[in-house]
Amino acid sequence: ELDPNHFYARIAQARLSLLSNRLDTFQKQLKELVKVAADNLDVMKLQVVSAQGSGDNKAALKLLETVFLREPTTSNVIALAAQHQLDGNVSGAIAQLQLWVKDHANDVKAREKLAEIYGSNNQVGEVVYQYREILQMDPEHVMGLNNLAWHLLEDDPRQALDLADKANRVSPDSGSILDTLA
């Protein structure tokens, strides 16, 4: 209120409007932000949310590609891959993450997303490989232990049980781990 043209306050207002589901206020704030700083990455990310909300996946993908090219980070590559996946372009999502993991082999978050996409595409061997890689980096990675156990249930039940037991020791009373353990 004290400074309506304060850029970062306007960004914060837009985010708060979005979080509180005041979409008209969000769109108003976004319109003003685009006028003054259309090339700002935070503004572009808000435009992505707006495009996704209105079902304009093509615009969202284009914006995410630009964001990723300007700021190649784990969160941006995951967002870009998720948009490819949302558009039904699973091979594009996989290719995007494979390239990233090739250059960032220790990126656990990117490997988790890659495993998730492989899983949604019934590529169990690739899922298993990604979780094994994650567990080499972090032997107590709970999600890796649990999900690898789940994917090994039929092929290697003994190892699946060992992994589920370990996951349960690391994170006792987790519903998803107890489900796998059962």
Side-chain angles (χ1 to χ4, degrees):
E1 289 177 3
L2 295 175
D3 186 359
N5 295 321
H6 190 276
F7 180 74
Y8 292 104
R10 194 172 286 279
I11 292 242
Q13 280 186 311
R15 288 180 179 152
L16 285 171
S17 297
L18 188 62
L19 288 172
S20 60
N21 205 28
R22 294 186 338 241
L23 300 180
D24 289 344
T25 305
F26 168 72
Q27 289 299 335
K28 180 182 172 194
Q29 293 295 335
L30 181 57
K31 184 178 178 182
E32 292 300 317
L33 287 165
V34 170
K35 281 183 191 175
V36 296
D39 287 341
N40 178 282
L41 290 174
D42 289 324
V43 173
M44 294 175 86
K45 289 175 184 178
L46 290 172
Q47 286 179 288
V48 168
V49 172
S50 177
Q52 289 170 331
S54 67
D56 191 351
N57 292 335
K58 195 176 212 178
L61 182 63
K62 185 177 179 188
L63 285 161
L64 282 167
E65 287 171 342
T66 301
V67 168
F68 177 69
L69 285 173
R70 290 188 40 207
E71 187 179 62
T73 64
T74 300
S75 60
N76 288 339
V77 75
I78 288 172
L80 181 55
Q83 186 64 45
H84 278 297
Q85 186 180 18
L86 183 68
D87 290 345
N89 183 6
V90 174
S91 60
I94 289 171
Q96 191 77 53
L97 287 167
Q98 283 176 332
L99 279 172
W100 181 262
V101 168
K102 181 180 174 192
D103 293 334
H104 305 87
N106 294 330
D107 192 331
V108 171
K109 292 289 183 196
R111 285 187 182 277
E112 288 171 348
K113 183 64 178 175
L114 187 54
E116 174 198 317
I117 294 172
Y118 281 135
S120 71
N121 204 37
N122 295 320
Q123 293 177 276
V124 177
E126 296 296 333
V127 173
V128 168
Y129 175 79
Q130 291 305 319
Y131 283 122
R132 287 190 192 282
E133 290 294 307
I134 289 169
L135 291 173
Q136 281 185 351
M137 292 177 268
D138 180 3
E140 294 191 348
H141 188 276
V142 175
M143 188 172 83
L145 290 165
N146 185 64
N147 291 353
L148 181 56
W150 184 261
H151 283 90
L152 291 176
L153 281 173
E154 300 220 2
D155 291 338
D156 193 345
R158 180 75 236 158
Q159 185 181 18
L161 181 59
D162 290 344
L163 290 164
D165 277 335
K166 185 173 182 179
N168 192 46
R169 284 191 304 274
V170 174
S171 182
D173 302 321
S174 164
S176 60
I177 293 171
L178 291 173
D179 180 51
T180 302
L181 195 53

